[in-house]
């Protein structure tokens, strides 16, 4: 174990400590912990780190975000720990939305979390099994909770908005990612798909020597130029599919999509709330700015109801994403002073912190411009998506008590539903 102490005055950077920690662990996978003291940072690593390289990287991050530190902290819209906050927020939810939520919960509970007591011996006793860093396998009871949460979300938005479901593959064209601007905003997450080359001579050489090439880590000299990327977000599939569609100003398009997403978070992967492969349920809205604001407010109310159902401490906050580009400060500052991204964060003892389990993302015409999404009057439409991290939602639910049976989870959720 190596310990590095870097002398820095951190009195004015409380807000960006999370970003500093995340990015340091992203660049240096050897780092096991980062602790902030009054005038220094203590870093522990499992393998050797070059102190000068770490210092240079740290200063680079701090310079990019030098003015952001003055903001202080992100804006909290709701905190369940604050006295009176539950009652104050509760009265602003329309009866129609509350009733639909309660109905959806009861139906999906009955369908997915029935009493599962049986005498059969189970091979897999734990809820999940780590395969490698950031990749898990899951057992039957985990799948029940996962399916319940996914079908609850889908059932609610189907009844309220009549959402249309589409299925998408796990891969997306690199040109779509480029067109959407994702290389600028989230290139650190991207995982390229690179099959073995089909060049006859190189393929023949690889086939004869693959064992030797694999051991010597030369396999990557024999792969094709990547044409696809593993999904970093599901809504990115929707925009090119609707290119050329004339949107009706009187009737909105609202889609829902579920699938796997892949984000390489490097040294931050931990098989709990940070996974390389994870499942998302997304709702994607195509309409005008006025209706987007209405849908956003109603979605915030759904986040509140979902937080109450799970029954743990939770917050609704303006997000502060971690950006890596030279425009990182501009992107973060823009996010913090707007309501373009709002997160549902639930406190989990498993990781001893609040984790973001869902977010509402207003895009304005960010996607409608490159994909030419226009209404019948040739005016660019606005888009918004709601993303639910299903693995994180299950993690939050398991935080109640991992030793509970499915029937006990069901009873607990029905008790929480009485307060909604």
């Amino acid at each position: 174990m190596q310990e590095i102490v870097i002398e820095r005055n951190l009195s004015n950077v409380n807000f960006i400590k999370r970003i500093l920690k995340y990015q340091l662990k992203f660049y240096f996978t050897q780092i096991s912990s980062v602790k902030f003291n009054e005038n220094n940072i203590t870093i522990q690593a499992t393998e050797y780190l070059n102190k000068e390289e770490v210092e240079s990287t740290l200063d680079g991050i701090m310079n990019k975000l030098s003015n952001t530190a003055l903001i202080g902290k992100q804006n909290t819209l709701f905190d369940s720990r604050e006295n009176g906050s539950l009652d104050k927020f509760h009265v602003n939810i329309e009866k129609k939305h509350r009733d639909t939520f309660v109905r959806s919960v009861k139906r999906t509970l009955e369908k997915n979390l029935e009493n599962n007591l049986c005498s059969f011996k189970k091979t897999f006793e734990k809820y999940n099994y780590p395969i490698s860093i950031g990749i898990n396998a899951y057992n039957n009871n985990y799948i029940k909770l996962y399916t319940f949460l996914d079908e609850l979300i889908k059932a609610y938005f189907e009844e309220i908005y009549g959402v249309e479901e589409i299925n998408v593959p796990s891969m997306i064209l690199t040109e779509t990612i480029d067109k959407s601007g994702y290389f600028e905003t989230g290139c650190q997450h991207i995982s390229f798909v690179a099959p073995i080359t089909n060049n006859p001579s190189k393929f023949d050489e690889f086939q004869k020597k693959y064992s030797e090439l694999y051991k010597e880590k030369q396999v990557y000299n024999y792969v094709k130029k990547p044409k696809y990327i593993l999904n970093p977000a599901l809504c990115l599939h929707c925009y090119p599919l609707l290119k050329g569609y004339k949107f009706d100003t009187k009737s909105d398009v609202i889609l829902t999509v579920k699938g796997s997403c892949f984000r390489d978070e490097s040294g931050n992967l931990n098989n709990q709330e940070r996974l390389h492969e994870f499942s998302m349920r997304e709702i994607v809205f195509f309409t005008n700015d006025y209706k987007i604001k209405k849908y956003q407010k109603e979605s915030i109310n759904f986040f509140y109801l979902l937080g109450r159902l799970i029954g743990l401490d939770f917050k609704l906050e303006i997000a502060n994403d971690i950006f890596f580009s030279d425009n990182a400060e501009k992107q973060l500052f823009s996010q913090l002073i707007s309501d373009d991204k709002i997160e549902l964060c639930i406190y989990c003892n498993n990781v001893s912190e609040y984790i973001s389990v869902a977010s509402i993302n207003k895009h304005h015409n960010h996607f409608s411009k490159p994909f030419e999404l226009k209404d019948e009057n040739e005016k660019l439409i606005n888009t918004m998506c709601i993303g639910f991290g299903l693995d994180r939602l299950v993690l939050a639910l398991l935080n109640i008590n991992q030793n509970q049976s499915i029937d006990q989870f069901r009873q607990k959720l029905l008790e929480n539903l009485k307060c909604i």
Side-chain angles (χ1 to χ4, degrees):
M1 181 74 73
Q2 180 190 11
E3 184 172 282
I4 297 174
V5 179
I6 300 175
E7 303 295 330
R8 292 290 184 279
N9 184 346
L10 301 172
S11 57
N12 293 322
V13 296
N14 285 330
F15 181 70
I16 61 170
K17 284 178 181 176
R18 183 180 73 93
I19 299 173
L20 291 173
K21 181 178 178 180
Y22 182 94
Q23 293 202 13
L24 285 172
K25 292 185 75 174
F26 179 87
Y27 289 121
F28 305 100
T29 57
Q30 310 97 308
I31 293 178
S32 56
S33 73
V34 179
K35 294 183 179 178
F36 297 94
N37 305 305
E38 188 174 350
N39 293 306
N40 63 61
I41 301 174
T42 302
I43 295 171
Q44 290 189 329
T46 55
E47 298 175 19
Y48 172 76
L49 280 176
N50 183 307
K51 184 178 179 180
E52 290 184 1
E53 189 177 2
V54 175
E55 284 185 300
S56 175
T57 302
L58 173 66
D59 290 340
I61 300 167
M62 291 179 68
N63 287 337
K64 282 182 185 178
L65 303 172
S66 56
N67 294 318
T68 308
L70 302 175
I71 295 176
K73 63 178 182 178
Q74 65 196 113
N75 184 17
T76 300
L77 307 179
F78 171 85
D79 187 340
S80 64
R81 288 183 175 180
E82 291 182 0
N83 291 332
S85 60
L86 291 173
D87 294 335
K88 184 178 178 181
F89 204 95
H90 204 68
V91 296
N92 293 321
I93 300 176
E94 290 182 33
K95 183 177 185 300
K96 168 185 153 184
H97 292 262
R98 194 193 313 275
D99 291 347
T100 300
F101 183 83
V102 171
R103 236 183 349 262
S104 300
V105 171
K106 288 181 176 178
R107 286 173 183 167
T108 50
L109 275 176
E110 185 177 350
K111 178 181 176 182
N112 296 290
L113 297 191
E114 74 281 359
N115 192 315
N116 70 328
L117 297 176
C118 65
S119 59
F120 296 111
K121 182 181 183 302
K122 293 183 178 178
T123 306
F124 296 100
E125 296 294 337
K126 294 191 296 184
Y127 278 93
N128 60 68
Y129 295 79
I131 293 174
S132 65
I133 297 298
I135 300 177
N136 290 337
Y138 302 103
N139 85 340
N140 185 53
N141 284 344
Y142 186 104
I143 296 167
K144 283 180 180 289
L145 296 174
Y146 165 99
T147 304
F148 158 69
L149 288 163
D150 177 52
E151 292 193 4
L152 163 62
I153 295 163
K154 182 184 171 187
Y156 174 87
F157 284 95
E158 278 183 340
E159 183 170 341
I160 289 291
Y161 302 124
V163 295
E164 183 177 355
E165 185 166 29
I166 60 170
N167 283 333
V168 298
S170 295
M171 297 181 287
I172 190 167
L173 287 165
T174 55
E175 61 191 63
T176 301
I177 293 292
D178 186 24
K179 203 170 187 179
S180 70
Y182 203 93
F183 280 115
E184 181 182 358
T185 59
C187 67
Q188 71 277 7
H189 292 145
I190 287 175
S191 297
F192 289 98
V193 178
I196 297 298
T197 179
N198 60 339
N199 177 284
S201 59
K202 291 203 77 175
F203 179 80
D204 189 52
E205 183 181 346
F206 172 81
Q207 196 173 36
K208 290 176 180 177
K209 298 166 60 179
Y210 77 90
S211 181
E212 178 186 336
L213 293 168
Y214 179 78
K215 289 177 182 176
E216 295 179 4
K217 299 184 178 179
Q218 294 178 7
V219 172
Y220 307 112
N221 297 329
Y222 294 83
V223 297
K224 294 179 182 179
K225 179 181 176 182
K227 183 180 179 181
Y228 299 100
I229 287 170
L230 295 174
N231 294 333
L234 298 179
C235 71
L236 297 173
H237 282 280
C238 300
Y239 312 115
L241 288 175
L242 287 167
K243 183 177 179 180
Y245 178 86
K246 287 298 176 188
F247 292 87
D248 184 349
T249 53
K250 297 179 182 177
S251 179
D252 303 328
V253 173
I254 307 176
L255 305 177
T256 185
V257 55
K258 186 187 80 169
S260 292
C261 289
F262 304 80
R263 296 184 185 178
D264 183 5
E265 301 195 67
S266 188
N268 296 285
L269 296 171
N270 58 17
N271 294 88
Q272 294 191 84
E273 88 284 9
R274 295 207 178 271
L275 300 171
H276 194 155
E277 179 180 359
F278 54 94
S279 298
M280 295 287 294
R281 164 68 67 182
E282 296 192 22
I283 317 293
V284 192
F285 298 82
F286 300 80
T287 184
N288 58 49
D289 183 57
Y290 173 78
K291 285 190 177 178
I292 287 288
K293 290 173 182 174
K294 171 182 174 288
Y295 290 138
Q296 183 194 46
K297 181 180 181 297
E298 292 171 352
S299 300
I300 291 170
N301 290 342
F302 179 81
F303 278 9
Y304 167 83
L305 294 171
L306 186 59
R308 292 295 302 274
L309 178 70
I310 291 174
L312 299 169
D313 289 325
F314 70 98
K315 295 179 182 180
L316 301 174
E317 294 184 321
I318 302 294
N320 61 327
D321 285 337
I322 297 172
F323 300 104
F324 280 71
S325 73
D326 290 339
N327 292 321
E329 183 162 71
K330 180 181 177 182
Q331 293 167 325
L332 180 58
F333 190 81
S334 174
Q335 194 178 67
L336 290 166
I337 63 173
S338 72
D339 62 352
D340 285 349
K341 183 171 183 177
I342 296 170
E343 293 181 320
L344 167 61
C345 301
I346 296 179
Y347 190 83
C348 284
N349 290 325
N350 311 52
V351 293
S352 302
E353 61 182 22
Y354 283 90
I355 62 170
S356 172
V357 299
S359 66
I360 304 164
N361 309 271
K362 287 198 302 185
H363 309 136
H364 303 283
N365 54 25
H366 176 82
F367 294 115
S368 55
K369 270 185 181 179
F371 294 104
E372 302 173 32
L373 306 179
K374 299 178 180 180
D375 64 21
E376 60 220 14
N377 300 317
E378 291 299 307
K379 184 179 178 181
L380 288 171
I381 62 160
N382 283 18
T383 64
M384 181 181 85
C385 78
I386 314 172
F388 296 89
L390 297 173
D391 302 88
R392 287 188 176 188
L393 280 167
V394 176
L395 180 67
L397 198 54
L398 289 174
N399 192 65
I400 297 171
N401 188 343
Q402 294 211 27
N403 296 319
Q404 286 189 336
S405 68
I406 290 297
D407 193 52
Q408 287 173 317
F409 274 115
R410 182 174 179 274
Q411 293 304 319
K412 177 66 176 174
L413 292 172
L414 286 171
E415 283 297 315
N416 293 342
L417 195 62
K418 292 178 182 177
C419 302
I420 290 175

